[in-house]
Amino acid sequence: MTNALLDGEPVGLRTQEKIIIEIGPGVRAQPGDDVIDAGGGILVGPLINGHTHAAMTLFRGYGDDLPLMRWLEEKIWPIERRLEPEDVYWGTRLACLEMIRSGTVRFWDMYWHAPAAARAVADAGMRATVAAPLIDVDGRSEQMRAAALDTLDELADAPDRIDAGLAPHAIYTVTEDSLRWIAKLAAERDIPVQIHLSETEQEVIDCLAAHGERPARYLDRVGLLSPRTVLAHGVWVDQDELELIAARGATVVTNPVANLKLAVGGVFPYPQARAAGVRVGLGTDGPGSNNSLDLFSDMKTFALVQKHAANDPAAIDAVETWEIATGQKAPALGAAPALEAGQPADFLLLRAGAPELSFGELPAALVYAASGAVVETTVVGGQPLMRDGVIDGAEEVLVRALERARRLGLAHRSHPS
Ligand SMILES: [Zn+2]
């Protein structure tokens, strides 16, 4: 890549074998290189979506404006029982398309038919940690455990861009015995665990009633709070829980847009989490409950909500917000640490002359003014997944995803046939 701007300076960047081998002023194309002329575009590290249910693109716009449990029980779960792997494949391909377009290169997925999701990520060229949700409060613990082991076996063949994990859905949908089993399996195989935690106040009330302790304490007691653990939400955590999460080295992924849309009644206490030393990332949550996968939107909302909740415009600044959205404050999420030689060749090129980026300091422009529309080129492991705004095969992905949504009775009248 030639003629790009990095920290305001013109630079070149060369990649080889998925790695950045040279970056800086004076780096020029060599004979045989495939050259992208950045045309003065801005080079930045890519975004990391720490929590989503990618295939729920198919559910976008279905059952909006309901509380969490009614939305799940009345709208989502009945249709999910009819899901086939091809639904998940095309729903995930569409999610990948949207994430690539808006600058996300890696995401943490929790969804049914995880091997189909992994296949979609592989075909889209992205990176992801994929895991099937585990639920056994219906008494089917044996089936759930067998399915979890089968899924891990199937995911073993995925490309190295894709990691397998375990995803107990939540403390209220998985039995204590199975949570302990999951903790043991994750430790034995050294694989990550994603779980929703303290999204609503009711979850905390129910946990106190059932177990006599708050959710993070309970999770710790069953062995599930470790550096391998990624906790989605953490809205209703108290000071003791934040200190425990930090001490155990677990990561919290905050999903501010989904939390606001579902009106969970609180805000993840980021200033307290930062002071306690908690590792923090940012997620969209599923496109059924956000409904966007443009992490720029979540980034802005995160910063604004934190300022508002703290009654302090300095509660978080643009630089720190960008670091969180790019995974720099949560190493377990798997972002490349920096744009430098020797690191994975994952980066974005932002459109030269975009008005949103043309004034003031870049971090503030990225967080407060920009949307994913400023992303022009997205590169993962040295492969351009979007180049000059074009993603190969994009039309087919949308058509096929719409076919799958229609099959499930989810497509709307205004869609092209
Ligand atoms: Zn979620």
Side-chain angles (χ1 to χ4, degrees), residues 12-13 39 60 105-106 118 125 139 141 152 182 201 244 267 288 299 319 325-326 374 381 415 417:
L13 179 159
R60 179 180 280 141
V105 302
R106 190 183 207 296
S141 298
L152 289 179
I182 291 162
E201 189 176 24
L244 179 65
V267 171
M299 186 160 61
V319 171
T326 53
V374 300
H415 290 156
S417 53

Side-chain angles (χ1 to χ4, degrees), residues 51 53 196 232-233 285-286:
H51 177 68
H53 312 272
H196 295 110
H233 301 305
D285 210 345

Side-chain angles (χ1 to χ4, degrees), residues 58 84 86-87 90 400-408:
L58 303 183
E84 295 176 356
E86 281 302 285
D87 300 323
W90 288 107
R400 299 297 296 275
L402 281 167
E403 281 172 11
R404 302 312 297 191
R406 277 197 201 96
R407 190 191 80 78
L408 293 163

